[in-house]
Amino acid sequence: MDELATALRVELCRISTSARVRVVHLGALLAFTPSRRVGGGLQFEFAHQATARWVLDTLVEPTVCSPRPGVVHVPRPRETLRQYGLHEDGRWAFGRGLVEAEGIGRGAVHAASRFTRHGMKVYCPSVPMMLTLATVLGRLGIETSLLDNPARVGVRAAETAEALTRLGAAGAGERYQVMRDLSCGGALTRSSVVDRRYQQRFLRAAGMDS
């Protein structure tokens, strides 16, 4: 379902939202993205190049650069990323309100979600981050399960489309539902909503057309 994952990330880059949700979204995106120390800075590596560009545009910080496609280098992370939730000791924290929950959910799904016909899994950098994500998704009405080795938060297939909609990615939610209906032989139930060619294109992308 690589095409679905790409479409989700594009949708989350383009979403219109409040300034506070955007700040937390970006912070959580960085927190759930693989990074490494380079000198005194932090370097983040994104599988989706448009997301890297969105990070650069959203940070609006002249010292932040992209040494190669898909990579964002933050030379002064303490100063640049403090407002996005990075603490002196390297931990990320974002607040406890519903606005923060929405931003954390978006950022984590933006950074680390994967899809199968069985649902969505969000890969977490640590067990504490997994517990945090499960808690905030629960506050948004999204039911989850906890998985280990590696740490992941799971959402069942029947709940994935609604979960994506609650996180502001209704388009990706509809695409997932189409794929799931087709894989389960339920295409006719949605044929009046989505063109058959549209369905088949996403089915092939998901590897479910055999």
Side-chain angles (χ1 to χ4, degrees), residues 56-80:
L56 285 170
D57 292 343
T58 305
L59 281 174
V60 194
E61 166 55 54
T63 64
V64 176
C65 63
S66 179
R68 61 182 183 276
V71 174
V72 173
H73 181 68
V74 183
R76 299 185 302 173
R78 288 184 179 180
E79 295 85 353
T80 304

Side-chain angles (χ1 to χ4, degrees), residues 48-171:
H48 182 232
Q49 292 185 20
T51 293
R53 291 193 296 272
W54 181 80
V55 170
L56 285 170
D57 292 343
T58 305
L59 281 174
V60 194
E61 166 55 54
T63 64
V64 176
C65 63
S66 179
R68 61 182 183 276
V71 174
V72 173
H73 181 68
V74 183
R76 299 185 302 173
R78 288 184 179 180
E79 295 85 353
T80 304
L81 302 180
R82 183 184 297 116
Q83 66 172 309
Y84 297 98
L86 181 63
H87 287 216
E88 292 285 335
D89 60 4
R91 293 181 304 109
W92 294 87
F94 308 102
R96 299 178 180 274
L98 283 176
V99 168
E100 285 77 14
E102 184 178 355
I104 294 168
R106 284 183 185 174
V109 167
H110 194 161
S113 58
R114 299 183 188 176
F115 299 90
T116 69
R117 68 180 66 191
H118 302 297
M120 174 176 70
K121 293 181 177 62
V122 183
Y123 286 71
C124 304
S126 66
V127 171
M129 293 290 276
M130 175 183 71
L131 297 174
T132 295
L133 179 59
T135 298
V136 300
L137 292 179
R139 296 193 67 193
L140 296 173
I142 299 171
E143 184 177 343
T144 62
S145 59
L146 302 179
L147 306 163
D148 58 9
N149 296 320
R152 292 156 292 161
V153 171
V155 178
R156 294 187 306 117
E159 309 294 334
T160 293
E162 177 61 24
L164 292 173
T165 298
R166 289 181 183 229
L167 292 170

Side-chain angles (χ1 to χ4, degrees), residues 156-197:
R156 294 187 306 117
E159 309 294 334
T160 293
E162 177 61 24
L164 292 173
T165 298
R166 289 181 183 229
L167 292 170
E174 182 176 328
R175 292 181 182 205
Y176 182 83
Q177 188 62 52
V178 169
M179 288 179 174
R180 181 167 180 266
D181 286 348
L182 285 165
S183 69
C184 297
L188 292 178
T189 63
R190 298 182 66 85
S191 59
S192 62
V193 179
V194 183
D195 182 85
R196 181 62 60 88
R197 287 174 298 176

Side-chain angles (χ1 to χ4, degrees), residues 6-48:
T6 297
L8 167 65
R9 286 163 175 81
V10 169
E11 188 171 0
L12 289 175
C13 285
R14 294 175 175 174
I15 193 169
S16 177
T17 189
S18 71
R20 179 57 184 162
V21 171
R22 186 179 298 106
V23 164
V24 179
H25 175 173
L26 176 56
L29 169 63
L30 295 175
F32 280 79
T33 294
S35 64
R36 63 189 181 95
R37 286 282 177 182
V38 178
L42 275 178
Q43 192 160 282
F44 298 87
E45 299 193 19
F46 300 90
H48 182 232

